Amino acid sequence: MKSDVEEFMPRLLPVESCDTEEYNSNEPPRNPQEYLRQVQREASLCPDVVVAQIDPKKLKMKQSVNVSITGCLAAPQGFSPCLKWQQQQVSTFSEVRQSVNKHRQHWKSQFLDDNVVMPKMEDEDGWKRFCLGENVCLDIQLKEEDKVNPSLDYIKTGFPPFLSIVSKLNQSTISAVLEYLINWFEERDFVPQLGRWLYALLACFEKPLLPEAHSLIRQLARRCSAVRANLESKDDDRLSALNLMICIVARYFEQNDLADKE
């Protein structure tokens, strides 16, 4: 049967009438004509208006989503950088990004050393060990002589973010690795290997950022401010790196509500 709507609609695929004795709708179509007849028959059996059966109780369970829009924790007195320092860091960071973009194609085509085995994008633990090293990830305490003369065993100390490595990462992998490292940082302290990789990954981010990337870098800035707020001395080696991360996120990527104010 034809609905009233079908009566006023033009036929885009006219189908010839068929002999009901020759055409059996319970069997698979044998040719295009029979297929179109079957589609028309199924469509004619569908109601013009369908009303969904919704359980109101299920709608009351999760009506809102809490999104954190909090800013950075205020730095202790004398721990935050001046505006001039922040402007200088933004200028330097911009030059680094331009250099990375300029040389990316060259380094992307270069072969990596045999000892450089990059994890798959979804391997979170693998990327943490790759970037930070087993000593950091496994909390291995170094001996005093190892601290004075550190070895070049990148498996233990972590691979530096060489341009030959980061140039091979696409934007999805950069975002994933950044998320893995920030997740690690949420539960651990700031270490030099982490700072180097965070800086390199931010330098490789393409603008404009995707919404999830904005969320990641804001999370990073807030975590840096929380660690900074617990520092006891302005001479702490971590202070400059923490200020730099907050500055890049707030000033370069224009998350102005997170910026340190004079």
Side-chain angles (χ1 to χ4, degrees), residues 5-252:
V5 176
E6 288 178 332
E7 289 291 346
F8 294 99
M9 295 177 63
R11 288 177 174 268
L12 297 180
L13 292 172
V15 181
E16 298 177 358
S17 59
C18 66
D19 189 344
T20 56
E21 295 181 358
E22 295 181 359
Y23 172 60
N24 187 349
S25 61
N26 295 324
E27 295 181 358
R30 295 170 296 181
N31 53 55
Q33 290 291 331
E34 290 187 358
Y35 171 75
L36 292 175
R37 293 190 195 106
Q38 183 174 330
V39 172
Q40 287 184 337
R41 181 177 180 277
E42 292 175 354
S44 67
L45 298 177
C46 295
D48 294 334
V49 179
V50 179
V51 179
Q53 300 298 322
I54 300 175
D55 185 359
K57 296 180 180 179
K58 293 183 179 180
L59 297 179
K60 297 180 180 180
M61 296 176 62
K62 294 183 179 180
Q63 284 290 307
S64 60
V65 178
N66 294 324
V67 179
S68 177
I69 56 174
T70 57
C72 290
L73 295 178
Q77 184 68 31
F79 281 56
S80 61
C82 65
L83 180 59
K84 182 178 179 180
W85 183 90
Q86 296 180 61
Q87 292 172 339
Q88 291 174 342
Q89 301 309 315
V90 169
S91 177
T92 301
F93 182 70
S94 178
E95 293 175 359
V96 170
R97 283 175 58 88
Q98 292 176 14
S99 179
V100 170
N101 291 331
K102 181 179 179 180
H103 301 289
R104 182 190 297 272
Q105 291 302 322
H106 167 75
W107 286 106
K108 187 177 181 180
S109 62
Q110 301 300 308
F111 291 101
L112 297 175
D113 293 338
D114 294 337
N115 65 327
V116 183
V117 181
M118 297 171 64
K120 295 182 179 179
M121 186 180 70
E122 63 274 10
D123 185 2
E124 180 171 354
D125 290 336
W127 274 109
K128 291 176 182 177
R129 291 194 299 270
F130 183 86
C131 299
L132 307 176
E134 291 183 351
N135 291 343
V136 171
C137 291
L138 302 179
D139 291 325
I140 298 176
Q141 299 297 324
L142 298 179
K143 299 178 181 179
E144 288 300 324
E145 56 268 25
D146 294 333
K147 295 181 181 179
V148 177
N149 298 307
S151 64
L152 289 178
D153 186 352
Y154 291 140
I155 301 298
K156 294 181 179 180
T157 62
F159 286 89
F162 295 126
L163 196 54
S164 57
I165 294 177
V166 296
S167 294
K168 297 184 183 301
L169 306 180
N170 57 34
Q171 290 298 300
S172 297
T173 304
I174 291 172
S175 181
V177 176
L178 183 63
E179 181 177 5
Y180 300 153
L181 294 180
I182 293 176
N183 289 341
W184 183 90
F185 185 32
E186 286 287 353
E187 301 176 354
R188 307 287 189 91
D189 203 354
F190 190 90
V191 294
Q193 297 94 318
L194 176 66
R196 288 192 288 266
W197 269 97
L198 291 175
Y199 190 93
L201 293 172
L202 291 175
C204 293
F205 254 147
E206 295 179 357
K207 297 178 72 173
L209 298 183
L210 297 175
E212 51 267 29
H214 276 288
S215 177
L216 279 176
I217 64 175
R218 290 181 64 85
Q219 180 183 352
L220 170 60
R222 288 194 296 267
R223 175 56 181 164
C224 288
S225 71
V227 174
R228 183 180 63 179
N230 291 320
L231 298 182
E232 297 180 353
S233 170
K234 290 185 289 185
D235 297 326
D236 195 303
D237 294 336
R238 296 168 293 175
L239 178 58
S240 179
L242 294 170
N243 283 337
L244 179 58
M245 291 297 107
I246 298 172
C247 173
I248 291 174
V249 171
R251 299 293 184 181
Y252 184 85

